[in-house]
Amino acid sequence: MTTMAQVICGLARRWCFGALGSPLQVPCLQALPLHLGRTATRASQRDLENAVHQVKLWKKDPGNEVKLKLYALYKQATEGPCNLPKPGMMDLVNKAKWDAWSALGSLPKETARENYVDLVSSLSAASEPPSPAKPAADGEQAGGDLVVTSENHITTITFNRPAKKNAITTQMYQDIMLALQAASKDDSVLTVLTGNGEYYCSGNDLTNFTDIPPEGPEEKARTNAILLREFVDCFIDFPKPLVAVVNGPAVGISVTLLGLFDLVYASDRATFHTPFGPLGLSPEGCSSYTFPKMMGPSKLSRTKVGSRAGEGGCQSQATVSLQGRGLGQLVFLKAAEMLIFGRKLTAQEACAQGLVTEVFPDSTFQKEVWTRLRAYTKLPPNAVRTSREVMRSKGRERLHAVNAEECGALQQRWLSEECTSAVVRFLSRRGKL
Ligand SMILES: CCCCC/C=C/C(=O)SCCNC(=O)CCNC(=O)[C@H](O)C(C)(C)COP(=O)(O)OP(=O)(O)OC[C@H]1O[C@@H](n2cnc3c(N)ncnc32)[C@H](O)[C@@H]1OP(=O)(O)O
């Protein structure tokens, strides 16, 4: 499946060479050097054609920002100021192109031609053969975006895109579903989700929103809603204990799904963030039901006073009891603060709210957690499975209904200006469009 970045790269590559479509508003584009005037003679049409040919010879991808700048200059040099109607918000590729071209305003054709030629010549001088790919360092996991292992009666599903903070691609949703289906039938006792690298998971890969099919954004939203519903249903119906080993910051759907897990063990460097408000989105993963149920509309959290992290419960965080005895901090955290207003929780706060089972010092996190999980696999597997089933069966029908409602709401949210603007802002901040 091509993502927006590939679509843009492909189009931008054609834009540079063949000048297609209309430009894009990428604020950082203005940051690129405009050679406002050549000290030598003015660039001729021939110089422009030579520069276009030179770009074709480039071995190293200059990145979207440069491609879009070249595209906009080429259009300005050959057609003058942007003369196309502004595309719709969801038509991100053409909007990206329209804005980049429009950003050049009434720059004269000759100047645009000079700038194009100068930019190509300066980049050609700077370009060097791409360095050989860095071999995976010792201990780093090779493998694809998702690594699934099964040993010691534990199936482990590891998000493995550390360079992208383990953001979940569309393919990864499919692969996680396949892994859960296999785990439900294998001889494992527990199934674990965890992350490779500093992040647990940064949620949905926001470029997922931008790969618009020919049928248009409505079709994309419809298929996304089906994918999300099936994905969450897999967790609702999963028949064995689900464990999250939250090794670092968790965002979005990787947080909301935790309400469907049986154990959530977190490193004390983990954070839990559901930025649905800023993204123009709404909750998923049944969190609109599980979080209020877990946290209460407003909850005075009670944790062991003075307990060391890892000795049961959350790290010490004195709270005051309803009787008002003792000193400490009132921890009023509502599900609404997370899901509506996007408040980020520390591991301790998430534990105090019931989202996290236990917090461990990062230095001993992996050792302590995996020792404990291996001990749990020694329990009689059928008893474990039966106990979990009787705990979970009563709520499944309700969870399926919640999932359906959440996906229906999101299907509309994905088409909203609020959401598309937020996605464009995120992707534009680093020239991802
Ligand atoms: C069909 C199913 C729908 C499911 C519905 C689910 C909804 C959600 O999950 S909503 C939440 C979505 N996630 C986000 O909004 C997080 C977006 N990312 C960020 O805010 C930040 O990247 C960060 C806070 C997670 C980390 O910031 P920082 O430490 O500054 O690192 P960078 O931003 O430079 O990230 C490094 C690299 O990774 C890319 N990246 C990170 N997260 C995502 C993401 N969610 N989607 C796409 N790409 C992501 C980021 O763009 C950087 O890439 P490069 O610039 O190429 O290095």
Side-chain angles (χ1 to χ4, degrees):
M1 182 207 78
T2 51
T3 63
M4 167 67 153
Q6 289 162 317
V7 171
I8 284 267
C9 284
L11 287 170
R13 201 182 296 280
R14 284 164 48 209
W15 296 341
C16 300
F17 313 144
L20 289 172
S22 54
L24 126 103
Q25 177 56 46
V26 183
C28 47
L29 275 181
Q30 278 74 20
L32 284 169
L34 266 184
H35 300 259
L36 294 179
R38 290 162 56 83
T39 49
T41 55
R42 295 185 75 81
S44 67
Q45 182 58 29
R46 182 97 185 115
D47 291 335
L48 179 65
E49 287 157 11
N50 288 339
V52 171
H53 180 67
Q54 207 172 344
V55 171
K56 289 179 183 175
L57 302 177
W58 282 351
K59 292 187 178 62
K60 187 176 177 187
D61 184 331
N64 293 341
E65 290 177 32
V66 171
K67 289 175 187 171
L68 287 167
K69 193 70 186 168
L70 287 170
Y71 162 75
L73 285 170
Y74 185 88
K75 293 292 280 186
Q76 192 82 5
T78 52
E79 298 179 33
C82 181
N83 53 13
L84 299 175
K86 185 172 185 175
M89 277 309 297
M90 273 305 277
D91 188 355
L92 292 170
V93 175
N94 288 317
K95 184 168 178 325
K97 294 156 51 178
W98 188 90
D99 288 344
W101 185 7
S102 304
L104 298 181
S106 56
L107 188 72
K109 282 187 171 183
E110 296 73 20
T111 311
R113 188 167 59 214
E114 288 166 17
N115 288 329
Y116 184 96
V117 172
D118 287 351
L119 187 52
V120 169
S121 59
S122 59
L123 290 167
S124 301
S127 74
E128 61 224 9
S131 55
K134 181 173 76 68
D138 292 345
E140 256 190 37
Q141 284 170 311
D145 293 343
L146 200 76
V147 175
V148 182
T149 57
S150 204
E151 54 190 343
N152 300 322
H153 298 294
I154 298 176
T155 293
T156 305
I157 301 169
T158 303
F159 301 115
N160 187 40
R161 294 182 79 204
K164 297 291 185 181
K165 310 297 183 186
N166 293 333
I168 306 174
T169 64
T170 301
Q171 185 58 50
M172 286 167 75
Y173 287 112
Q174 305 287 5
D175 295 344
I176 293 168
M177 286 193 275
L178 289 173
L180 289 174
Q181 281 151 22
S184 67
K185 301 184 181 77
D186 68 16
D187 68 350
S188 63
V189 176
L190 305 173
T191 292
V192 172
L193 260 71
T194 191
N196 174 33
E198 59 162 346
Y199 261 67
Y200 173 69
C201 172
S202 67
N204 191 40
D205 185 317
L206 294 176
T207 60
N208 290 344
F209 288 119
T210 56
D211 181 16
I212 306 298
E215 300 83 353
E218 290 74 14
E219 177 60 13
K220 177 69 178 176
R222 188 186 69 83
T223 53
N224 260 357
I226 293 170
L227 171 65
L228 176 60
R229 184 170 176 181
E230 288 172 354
F231 180 72
V232 176
D233 278 349
C234 273
F235 286 85
I236 295 170
D237 295 329
F238 190 68
K240 299 179 180 178
L242 271 170
V243 182
V245 174
V246 186
N247 55 293
V251 185
I253 191 167
S254 67
V255 177
T256 53
L257 279 174
L258 296 177
L260 302 175
F261 279 63
D262 302 283
L263 292 174
V264 179
Y265 291 147
S267 155
D268 57 11
R269 57 181 293 275
T271 55
F272 298 82
H273 191 202
T274 51
F276 301 132
L279 286 171
L281 294 173
S282 50
E284 81 284 295
C286 295
S287 59
S288 62
Y289 173 72
T290 57
F291 279 33
K293 194 161 173 276
M294 209 169 0
M295 302 179 184
S298 88
K299 172 173 181 178
L300 194 59
S301 77
R302 177 184 303 285
T303 57
K304 280 188 174 178
V305 176
S307 65
R308 186 185 71 80
E311 284 171 353
C314 314
Q315 190 156 356
S316 64
Q317 182 171 358
T319 59
V320 65
S321 72
L322 281 174
Q323 292 73 22
R325 276 182 290 107
L327 297 176
Q329 176 193 357
L330 271 181
V331 180
F332 276 103
L333 280 174
K334 304 179 182 178
E337 275 194 299
M338 283 192 81
L339 298 177
I340 299 174
F341 301 107
R343 173 168 171 172
K344 185 189 296 187
L345 300 196
T346 65
Q348 296 299 338
E349 288 170 335
C351 187
Q353 294 303 308
L355 180 61
V356 165
T357 314
E358 192 164 341
V359 181
F360 298 80
D362 194 54
S363 55
T364 57
F365 176 59
Q366 297 289 346
K367 184 171 181 299
E368 288 195 65
V369 164
W370 289 101
T371 302
R372 190 174 304 184
L373 293 178
R374 278 192 284 274
Y376 288 159
T377 62
K378 303 292 188 277
L379 293 167
N382 294 329
V384 167
R385 193 162 176 165
T386 305
S387 302
R388 186 186 189 273
E389 184 56 24
V390 294
M391 288 174 71
R392 290 278 174 182
S393 57
K394 294 173 271 301
R396 276 206 184 94
E397 191 178 335
R398 179 68 189 273
L399 289 171
H400 283 298
V402 169
N403 184 25
E405 183 190 3
E406 289 176 344
C407 293
L410 271 169
Q411 186 170 341
Q412 297 313 310
R413 292 277 82 225
W414 288 324
L415 295 170
S416 67
E417 164 94 8
E418 290 172 342
C419 175
T420 50
S421 305
V423 171
V424 171
R425 271 195 306 277
F426 176 79
L427 297 178
S428 304
R429 70 196 168 83
R430 302 275 286 271
K432 296 290 153 211
L433 276 176

